[in-house]
Amino acid sequence: MEVSLPIASIKSANYAHSQNICAIIVPMKAPIKVTPTVARRLSITRQRLAGPRPAPTPEGFLEVVHDIGCLQLDPISAVARTNHLVPWSRLGVHDPAIQDTLLWSDRSLFEYWAHAASIVLTEDYPIHSHQMERYRTSDKPWVVSTRAWMAANQELYDHIMATIRERGPILSKDIEDKAQDGWQSTGWTGGRNVSRMLDFLWTQGIIMVAGRKGGQKMWDLAERVLPEWTPREELPQQEVVRRSALKSLRGLGIGTQRHITNYFTRNRYWDLDSVLRDLVAEGIIQSVEIDAEGKKWAGPWYVHRDDLHLLESLSGGGEAWQPRTTLLSPFDNLIADRARTEALFNFDFRIEIYVPKEQRKYGYYVLPILYGDRLIGRIDPLMDRKAKRLNINAVYAEPDAPLDSETATAIASSIAELAAFLGANQIAYGDRMPEGWRLALTSPPHFS
């Protein structure tokens, strides 16, 4: 029988034990056992990829970001930018301007670094401001060398700050390069002195992205970008890790310590062992075992206590499981951790953008197919904006995918919905597709 105690009582008990006084012992619950299917369903549901769709409104959009933590930013738009595809997979067809309103008018969102360059919640500013402070003060070699370069280019620093203060929001191309010591790199950033200084000022939280013009960032002072209601408390490092870990686990639905580390604020979970132990002791998270027909998966896996009711309902085969069929951005939060995706879904997914064309197995910008609780295939699409045509170069099925008309119809409907979201008025299929899916995929009408 578990005894629930407030954390203050537990800390008092630990102190009493250290003073050789009789301590209170808090028994831990035995791990809950779930099947891989239930684990997948919990993860998919918490990612808002199953169950009732959120409304395609600003409120529904914020619901999604709140639950999954962040939207990755990536410049590739072979189909659409990933920060538009990820919400589409959850909301369906909606007005992309909602995102711009929340970013640049309402300011409920802003751009910063999460597991990658991302759109994050303004309400989470205390988590991200801690990282901004680390970029200003950390003794890590890369951060130290960055600050040294900034100091060596004080004239450029002062010029950029003065220009932004006077003319912001402003594009980087409209700022004169006054670097005295050019940025050295063997990559594409070599010699891009203004861009490098802007990036470093951004990571330090001194400036922020205030808008976009033709996809290009417009920079302004952080104090002019953040709304007045922004929470600005300075959190100790352990509290930052605690909050980040809880957000990570809620987004994952179920995950191991490694999965938590790789999600949301990737690799910024100092002393996570200790934080997770405290959260288990407090009853905020619960250990879970994944049992695959008698074979226990390496763990422990964790679930947030607020998701235990959902987990129980999913385990009982009740109405909680409401599957959907949709397509996922290659940078979708559900599959961003490739190792977890392979372990949980038995789906090997790699991006082939930088693979020479003749060596690609599937294509340049491939979208996995989520069918209920399985990843059953992928499509190789390309949006022709001038012709308003969505080209599906190829459709691939996993070896164990159901090749029936019902499955194919669900896939075709999702492709049609994507076309509608992109503003396409036609879909063109290539010849490469599973025979069992061909009729449903190529039969008109493709979308309403």
Side-chain angles (χ1 to χ4, degrees):
M1 182 76 179
E2 183 188 33
V3 178
S4 297
L5 290 176
I7 184 59
S9 300
I10 296 171
K11 289 181 177 178
S12 298
N14 291 336
Y15 176 78
H17 180 70
S18 70
Q19 301 299 312
N20 295 318
I21 300 172
C22 181
I24 299 172
I25 298 174
V26 182
M28 300 297 151
K29 280 184 177 178
I32 298 169
K33 290 187 178 182
V34 300
T35 64
T37 297
V38 170
R40 286 193 295 271
R41 290 180 176 182
L42 177 61
S43 180
I44 291 165
T45 303
R46 286 297 303 139
Q47 279 284 312
R48 304 307 294 268
L49 290 164
R53 269 183 163 169
T57 61
E59 294 76 16
F61 195 104
L62 278 177
E63 251 185 69
V64 167
V65 183
H66 183 272
D67 281 353
I68 68 176
C70 60
L71 299 174
Q72 184 170 334
L73 291 163
D74 189 87
I76 298 170
S77 56
V79 181
R81 297 285 176 94
T82 191
N83 56 294
H84 288 131
L85 284 175
V86 172
W88 166 78
S89 295
R90 291 149 175 85
L91 299 172
V93 177
H94 64 282
D95 185 356
I98 289 173
Q99 186 172 143
D100 290 342
T101 298
L102 293 172
L103 275 165
W104 317 129
S105 299
D106 184 68
R107 304 289 185 183
S108 295
L109 304 170
F110 69 96
E111 295 187 15
Y112 195 62
W113 197 268
H115 68 278
S118 301
I119 293 170
V120 297
L121 289 159
T122 303
E123 68 184 61
D124 289 332
Y125 180 74
I127 291 174
H128 301 294
S129 67
H130 183 271
Q131 182 63 15
M132 296 171 186
E133 175 66 19
R134 286 180 61 83
Y135 276 119
R136 294 193 292 267
T137 62
S138 170
D139 59 0
K140 285 192 173 183
W142 186 84
V143 177
V144 170
S145 65
T146 295
R147 291 201 304 266
W149 182 81
M150 294 175 74
N153 286 281
Q154 188 67 44
E155 184 179 354
L156 175 62
Y157 177 99
D158 292 341
H159 171 67
I160 286 177
M161 291 300 296
T163 302
I164 291 176
R165 190 173 289 110
E166 179 182 348
R167 298 170 54 193
I170 189 171
L171 297 167
S172 62
K173 69 180 183 65
D174 295 327
I175 301 175
E176 183 182 355
D177 184 355
K178 293 194 174 187
Q180 297 170 297
D181 181 13
W183 178 257
Q184 303 297 316
S185 171
T186 57
W188 65 272
T189 61
R192 294 175 178 262
N193 305 313
V194 172
S195 294
R196 285 281 79 189
M197 185 68 80
L198 289 168
D199 284 342
F200 299 148
L201 290 168
W202 171 65
T203 57
Q204 291 181 6
I206 297 170
I207 63 173
M208 299 181 80
V209 182
R212 293 264 181 172
K213 186 175 182 180
Q216 300 300 305
K217 300 171 185 173
M218 300 187 70
W219 298 100
D220 204 349
L221 301 177
E223 63 204 51
R224 297 201 297 227
V225 174
L226 291 169
E228 289 184 9
W229 56 264
T230 304
R232 299 174 188 271
E233 66 266 38
E234 295 182 11
L235 303 175
Q237 181 168 283
Q238 188 176 36
E239 179 61 20
V240 170
V241 175
R242 181 185 175 93
R243 293 190 187 189
S244 300
L246 289 173
K247 282 191 69 72
S248 181
L249 185 56
R250 292 307 306 279
L252 291 165
I254 184 170
T256 66
Q257 180 173 329
R258 171 52 57 187
H259 301 154
I260 292 170
T261 298
N262 285 336
Y263 195 84
F264 188 43
T265 52
R266 181 174 292 171
N267 296 326
R268 302 204 316 248
Y269 295 89
W270 308 276
D271 197 19
L272 183 57
D273 274 338
S274 174
V275 170
L276 292 177
R277 283 197 302 270
D278 286 348
L279 290 170
V280 170
E282 296 167 43
I284 295 174
I285 67 175
Q286 170 75 48
S287 294
V288 176
E289 289 182 1
I290 298 182
D291 190 324
E293 298 179 345
K295 184 178 180 182
K296 178 182 169 183
W297 285 14
W301 295 68
Y302 299 102
V303 172
H304 194 282
R305 68 182 175 194
D306 289 349
D307 290 327
L308 290 176
H309 179 73
L310 175 59
L311 182 66
E312 182 181 3
S313 181
L314 291 169
S315 299
E319 295 181 358
W321 177 238
Q322 300 178 36
R324 300 201 299 263
T325 299
T326 192
L327 307 169
L328 302 177
S329 159
F331 303 104
D332 193 282
N333 301 50
L334 180 71
I335 58 173
D337 183 340
R338 308 305 186 200
R340 180 177 185 269
T341 301
E342 190 164 358
L344 196 56
F345 292 92
N346 191 30
F347 188 77
D348 181 16
F349 184 67
R350 301 293 182 272
I351 295 176
E352 299 182 295
I353 292 168
Y354 302 110
V355 176
K357 185 176 181 179
E358 63 278 5
Q359 296 178 26
R360 291 175 192 148
K361 186 176 179 181
Y362 296 111
Y364 176 77
Y365 198 80
V366 168
L367 309 187
I369 303 167
L370 177 66
Y371 181 73
D373 58 21
R374 299 170 58 192
L375 294 167
I376 62 168
R378 53 202 99 194
I379 70 168
D380 172 19
L382 181 66
M383 179 61 188
D384 185 335
R385 292 173 178 81
K386 185 175 181 180
K388 293 188 175 181
R389 182 177 62 245
L390 177 60
N391 296 309
I392 309 298
N393 301 317
V395 180
Y396 302 93
E398 290 294 284
D400 60 347
L403 300 178
D404 56 88
S405 61
E406 181 182 352
T407 303
T409 299
I411 296 168
S413 295
S414 186
I415 291 172
E417 186 183 66
L418 175 62
F421 177 64
L422 298 174
N425 54 30
Q426 56 180 314
I427 302 172
Y429 283 92
D431 291 332
R432 189 166 185 175
M433 67 181 70
E435 283 304 318
W437 293 350
R438 185 177 298 275
L439 181 61
L441 288 177
T442 58
S443 296
H446 294 315
F447 54 94
S448 58

